[in-house]
Amino acid sequence: MGPSWGQHPGHWGFPALTEPSASPAGSLGIFEVRRDASGCSMLAPLQTGAARFSSYLLSRARKVLGSHLFSPCGVPEFCSISTRKLAAHGFGASMAAMVPFPPQRYHYFLVLDFEATCDKPQIHPQEIIEFPILKLNGRTMEIESTFHMYVQPVVHPQLTPFCTELTGIIQAMVDGQPSLQQVLERVDEWMAKEGLLDPNVKSIFVTCGDWDLKVMLPGQCQYLGLPVADYFKQWINLKKAYSFAMGCWPKNGLLDMNKGLSLQHIGRPHSGIDDCKNIANIMKTLAYQGFIFKQTSKPF
């Protein structure tokens, strides 16, 4: 499925694109690509409401795009190249601070990324050893609260060298930590404290793939005889959301998504809390492009 061009008319985020067929002009966030009388392309700011752009930033954007302004506009390829060029030169933050983006379907996104015991060949059962959640405001796409705990594995209490090298988690970080059952109880307490259990508050978990909530958590809970809370049974797979927005599948997960959006990777790969920060950053960027996140998991 390709990018959702023009999903949200009347809103400007960076670098939201209008539908090519809707107009002879393309749109780059609060920039508009117009054709002059000779048929050449030109870059102009959208002069609507609060979305007035300074001549300084407009001049900078024209310099960044350069020859692309004389390419055929109003097609996805042109818009994609142009927005990537603008993002790479730091325009994302400038525009995001000035313009709104379409409202999301959820009040909060709960970004989650487990790390678990592992080895080569793989050990069974795997056990969660890092349990981070970021509470992301669906209106601002900013992080409002963090839950982060390490978990004591019980079946394979000794971490393997492979696991430590991959995740950066050393034995001392899990020794003496709460069990998964205790951590799940604390997650529930945190959810209640943050108002996330209020039936009038819509929230949903977000993961990089389906493994965390489709395989890892229910599998370990089944092994230990623990119930799985209903709020863990619906989620958004960021890989699917990214593919809907960008028209390509991120084979290498967060690394490909950051690269595709010209974002710097935060922290170290396979650190649960750092992976959550990267997921949140990717979501914020897609939201400012006008993408609306929807549940991707199927009902249990």
Side-chain angles (χ1 to χ4, degrees):
M1 181 176 180
S4 301
W5 307 104
Q7 270 187 316
H8 319 295
H11 296 275
W12 309 281
F14 177 76
L17 307 177
T18 58
E19 185 174 356
S21 60
S23 165
S27 172
L28 302 168
I30 58 175
F31 290 133
E32 186 177 38
V33 183
R34 302 173 182 166
R35 289 190 185 279
D36 61 19
S38 65
C40 292
S41 302
M42 60 178 289
L43 188 68
L46 290 172
Q47 301 290 340
T48 308
R52 296 183 180 276
F53 215 53
S54 72
S55 58
Y56 166 70
L57 286 178
L58 178 60
S59 175
R60 275 188 59 208
R62 284 174 172 154
K63 289 179 181 178
V64 169
L65 291 179
S67 62
H68 285 288
L69 288 180
F70 299 98
S71 304
C73 66
V75 295
E77 290 78 8
F78 168 78
C79 293
S80 176
I81 293 170
S82 301
T83 53
R84 284 201 301 270
K85 285 175 70 69
L86 289 171
H89 284 76
F91 278 85
S94 302
M95 296 179 184
M98 297 178 64
V99 296
F101 57 88
Q104 296 291 329
R105 296 185 171 194
Y106 298 92
H107 297 109
Y108 296 100
F109 297 103
L110 305 176
V111 179
L112 176 150
D113 190 271
F114 296 139
E115 297 304 325
T117 54
C118 54
D119 201 3
K120 281 191 174 181
Q122 189 59 274
I123 58 176
H124 298 284
Q126 286 187 273
E127 299 171 87
I128 295 169
I129 54 175
E130 185 180 7
F131 203 130
I133 307 172
L134 300 181
K135 179 187 176 188
L136 200 63
N137 187 302
R139 182 177 58 83
T140 65
M141 301 306 286
E142 298 292 341
I143 298 168
E144 287 194 352
S145 181
T146 301
F147 178 93
H148 187 210
M149 294 189 71
Y150 291 98
V151 188
Q152 171 76 63
V154 294
V155 181
H156 301 286
Q158 194 70 29
L159 301 183
T160 64
F162 175 84
C163 183
T164 294
E165 182 179 353
L166 180 70
T167 66
I169 299 173
I170 61 174
Q171 191 66 40
M173 295 167 71
V174 297
D175 283 346
Q177 295 301 313
S179 66
L180 179 63
Q181 180 177 359
Q182 293 170 320
V183 170
L184 289 173
E185 290 170 355
R186 296 189 190 182
V187 168
D188 202 66
E189 293 169 0
W190 177 79
M191 296 275 287
K193 180 175 69 73
E194 295 293 329
L196 297 167
L197 302 184
D198 184 333
N200 295 316
V201 174
K202 293 188 66 177
S203 64
I204 190 168
F205 279 91
V206 183
T207 58
C208 184
D210 291 321
W211 174 83
D212 300 80
L213 294 178
K214 186 176 182 180
V215 177
M216 187 62 236
L217 182 63
Q220 188 174 358
C221 284
Q222 182 180 30
Y223 184 88
L224 297 173
L226 302 175
V228 178
D230 286 342
Y231 46 69
F232 285 126
K233 296 179 181 179
Q234 301 86 34
W235 65 89
I236 295 168
N237 178 344
L238 184 64
K239 292 180 182 179
K240 291 181 180 178
Y242 178 91
S243 70
F244 296 155
M246 303 297 287
C248 59
W249 183 260
K251 294 180 181 178
N252 295 309
L254 294 175
L255 296 177
D256 279 358
M257 289 185 273
N258 276 327
K259 183 177 180 181
L261 295 169
S262 299
L263 299 174
Q264 290 291 324
H265 192 88
I266 300 170
R268 64 165 289 158
H270 302 295
S271 157
I273 190 64
D274 287 347
D275 285 353
C276 284
K277 292 174 183 177
N278 281 285
I279 292 171
N281 200 29
I282 291 165
M283 291 185 69
K284 182 176 181 178
T285 303
L286 291 176
Y288 275 112
Q289 290 185 356
F291 185 76
I292 293 181
F293 292 91
K294 304 174 185 177
Q295 177 180 330
T296 61
S297 65
K298 296 180 180 179
F300 272 57

